[in-house]
Amino acid sequence: MPSDPVLELRGRLIRSLGALRDMLPGSFVERKRACGRPNCHCADGQNLHAQYQISVLVEGKPKAFNVPATLVEQVRKQVEMRHRFDAAAATICGINLRRFLKQKEDQ
Ligand SMILES: [Zn+2]
């Protein structure tokens, strides 16, 4: 039986999902803020501190969690994994929808 390129793509996408197991929800946000110390470089309102957060819906309510500087690159990648997961899921669902419609037609 000749292999179907669409099913090969679906298989590849499914197998790629395991690499995304560390995905995190929400969006990665960078905020600038002043710390409030009068002698700090941020007191001029220009050289503000960067603060990183992930913004997530928890039980329908928006929450923001601070990301420590040491984890910024890791968490940025983990949030990106979620986007790749969603894109793969959308492609798989599109393939399966077309297969379902074809299946109905063939009945
Ligand atoms: Zn400051």
Side-chain angles (χ1 to χ4, degrees):
M1 195 174 140
S3 58
D4 181 335
V6 170
L7 293 186
E8 278 175 19
L9 170 63
R10 188 178 67 173
R12 263 201 312 282
L13 286 169
I14 286 288
R15 288 190 295 277
S16 76
L17 298 182
L20 307 177
R21 67 175 71 81
D22 288 323
M23 65 185 172
L24 278 171
S27 48
F28 191 89
V29 182
E30 180 180 350
R31 293 186 196 290
K32 301 282 189 184
R33 65 181 189 93
C35 67
R37 284 177 295 163
N39 297 324
C40 184
H41 63 74
C42 71
D44 64 2
Q46 297 296 316
N47 297 299
L48 297 172
H49 300 272
Q51 183 182 41
Y52 299 94
Q53 296 179 324
I54 50 172
S55 170
V56 187
L57 283 180
V58 179
E59 289 165 5
K61 292 183 187 134
K63 302 256 186 197
F65 300 100
N66 288 330
V67 178
T70 51
L71 297 180
V72 162
E73 280 320 305
Q74 178 197 311
V75 169
R76 199 196 292 274
K77 283 183 190 136
Q78 287 178 283
V79 169
E80 176 56 30
M81 283 179 191
R82 167 62 181 278
H83 299 157
R84 282 157 55 199
F85 183 91
D86 287 349
T91 302
I92 291 164
C93 285
I95 290 169
N96 291 341
L97 179 62
R98 282 190 297 276
R99 285 170 62 77
F100 162 67
L101 295 175
K102 179 79 169 56
Q103 196 181 10
K104 274 201 328 167
E105 220 170 74
D106 292 346
Q107 272 189 346

